[in-house]
Structures are given as structure tokens and as C-alpha cells.
Amino acid sequence: MIASIFEWLTSSATWSGDTGLGARIIEHLWYSLLAVVIAAVIAVPLGLWVGHTGRAKWLVTLANSLRAVPTLGLLFAVALWLSPKFQSDLAFLIPSVVVLVVLVIPPILSGVYAGVEAVDPATRDAARGMGMRGMEVVRQVEIPNAMPLILSGLRSAFLQVIATATVAAYVGLGGLGRYLIDGLKTGDYVSTAGGALVVSVLALIVDGILALVQRRVVSPGLTGGAKGRALRGRTSPAVAVADGKSSAQPGMSAARGGVDPDAA
């Protein structure tokens, strides 16, 4: 079986044509990216607003409850409702994208909300004390500090949508789900297993790319690495942080009204 799957994956016939593996991968990524972009347009501003104001936290709870909705059942229901309203390929695309958007809104919304809410209130107060107001605090303080959790939510969303976009094949769309659906229907278990393997590898590759992006985008001061510890240590004139240990600089106790042992 493994040899047959390897032969199928490396065959030129598998990759050629409009229905080849290369074309299916592009279709799969297109459906996934479209769903994540639409979900981000909805969830990111909403998460920023809820986290910044502390209002309507029930929206996050409601969004998380959508995780319990069966994806395939929702797809059939939306397809039966929306498909008759369209005459083109949109009759298959729109129901699938709607379902995928519902799937990926919860991780994005939760990540943005949790990141903004976790910002130290003292940091917000300091920003306001410097004259920042409203959106300035959001843009220059909350978003940069919340970036690790925001990007983690986006990574989770991409993983979920790439793994789940295979259901689009049930309503006639392309993508890698075609190998799973058509293979099971015809008894071609080699292409079914090969398609499932490609979906898994594709999800891991995309997650790896996003992990590299996260490393480049997130400030080192927000990470737990050596570079982040060094930056945090330099922000305090009185405390030097090295390898997780804090040591007071000379003269610190005197500044607090005590006696400097070196001066005694």
C-alpha cells in the first residue's frame, strides 16, 4: 500500500491536467485563504473591540460554541438553502466558504480577544498618560503586545480550514477533497490515502511558514528567548536580567534609602 501511494504521488499523470494534484492543491489553498481572509475581516475588529472595551464578552462565548456545530451537516443545510439562489459555480462555492468562515471565526476571535485582554492595565495607563487616546492605544500598544496570541489564532484557523476544506468536495467543488470523495466512491483507496497525506503535509507546511512569519513579526521582548530576556533587561536601569535571574545594580539600595554595601 505504501509503495502504491508513493508511486501515485510521484507519477506525472497524477500531477498533470486541470484535475491533477497541482491544480487541486491550488484550489484547496484558494478556498482556505478566502475563508480565513473573510473570517479575519469579521473577527479581528470584533476581537479588538471586545478586548479593548471589555463589552459584549458573550460574543466570544457564542463564537466558541460554534465549534460544536457539525461541519458536514451545516454544509448540507447551507447548500440546500443557498445553492438554488445561484446559477453559476457560486452555487457550490458560496455555501462551502460560508461554512468554512463559521469554522475559523472562533480561533481568530478568541486569539485577538485574549491577546488584547491580557495586556497589562499599567501599560494602557502609561500610554494614556503619554497622551494616547482611543485607537492610538489599540494600534501602538494593544496590538503589538497581543501579536503572539493573534498570530497563534490565525495559525490555528489555517490548520483547521486546510484540514476541513476537503468537505467542499461533497457539494461539487474541487480541492484535495476530490481525492477522498471520489476515491471512496470508486474504491480507489490509493488516491484516497494519497490525498489525505497531501492534506496533512500541506497543513504542516503552511503552519511552518506562519511560524516563521510569527518569529519575524513578534517583538523579541514578548518572547521567552534569550534575545527577549536581554531586551527586557535593558529596559530597566536598576535591574539586569540574565538567564532568568535578577540582580540589583550597584547603588540601587542607596536609591531606595538603604545602605550600599560597596560604599560602606
Side-chain angles (χ1 to χ4, degrees):
M1 184 70 171
I2 296 177
S4 299
I5 294 173
F6 180 78
E7 182 180 355
W8 180 82
L9 288 172
T10 56
S11 173
S12 59
T14 303
W15 291 86
S16 61
D18 294 337
T19 59
L21 188 56
R24 294 303 189 195
I25 290 175
I26 293 174
E27 290 173 345
H28 200 89
L29 288 174
W30 163 241
Y31 303 149
S32 302
L33 181 61
L34 181 61
V36 171
V37 168
I38 295 174
V41 169
I42 298 170
V44 171
L46 187 60
L48 291 174
W49 178 75
V50 175
H52 178 73
T53 64
R55 302 173 184 170
K57 294 182 180 180
W58 58 270
L59 288 173
V60 181
T61 304
L62 177 63
N64 285 326
S65 69
L66 296 177
R67 298 174 189 261
V69 177
T71 304
L72 193 57
L74 181 62
L75 175 62
F76 288 148
V78 174
L80 290 174
W81 174 42
L82 291 179
S83 293
K85 303 180 185 298
F86 302 94
Q87 301 300 324
S88 62
D89 291 340
L90 293 177
F92 307 111
L93 178 62
I94 291 179
S96 301
V97 171
V98 167
V99 171
L100 293 177
V101 167
V102 171
L103 173 72
V104 296
I105 279 179
I108 298 176
L109 178 60
S110 298
V112 175
Y113 161 72
V116 173
E117 189 189 41
V119 175
D120 190 349
T123 305
R124 293 193 185 95
D125 294 340
R128 294 188 180 100
M130 294 173 62
M132 294 185 187
R133 291 293 181 269
M135 290 304 299
E136 288 182 326
V137 176
V138 174
R139 288 195 308 267
Q140 300 182 39
V141 177
E142 292 179 343
I143 291 179
N145 280 277
M147 194 58 69
L149 288 177
I150 292 175
L151 292 179
S152 294
L154 286 172
R155 287 176 61 184
S156 177
F158 266 106
L159 280 174
Q160 291 185 34
V161 75
I162 289 175
T164 313
T166 53
V167 300
Y170 278 102
V171 293
L173 279 186
L176 294 171
R178 287 259 58 96
Y179 295 111
L180 279 67
I181 304 303
D182 297 342
L184 289 174
K185 187 183 298 182
T186 61
D188 185 2
Y189 300 115
V190 172
S191 64
T192 301
L197 180 61
V198 172
V199 171
S200 302
V201 172
L202 185 63
L204 291 175
I205 291 174
V206 171
D207 186 61
I209 293 172
L210 293 176
L212 292 176
V213 172
Q214 183 171 351
R215 258 184 99 178
R216 298 288 297 178
V217 171
V218 176
S219 171
L222 298 175
T223 63
K227 192 180 292 185
R229 291 196 298 269
L231 285 176
R232 287 196 297 271
R234 286 198 296 267
T235 58
S236 174
V239 179
V241 180
D243 298 327
K245 296 180 180 179
S246 301
S247 59
Q249 292 182 349
M252 180 179 176
S253 57
R256 292 180 178 175
V259 178
D260 188 351
D262 294 333

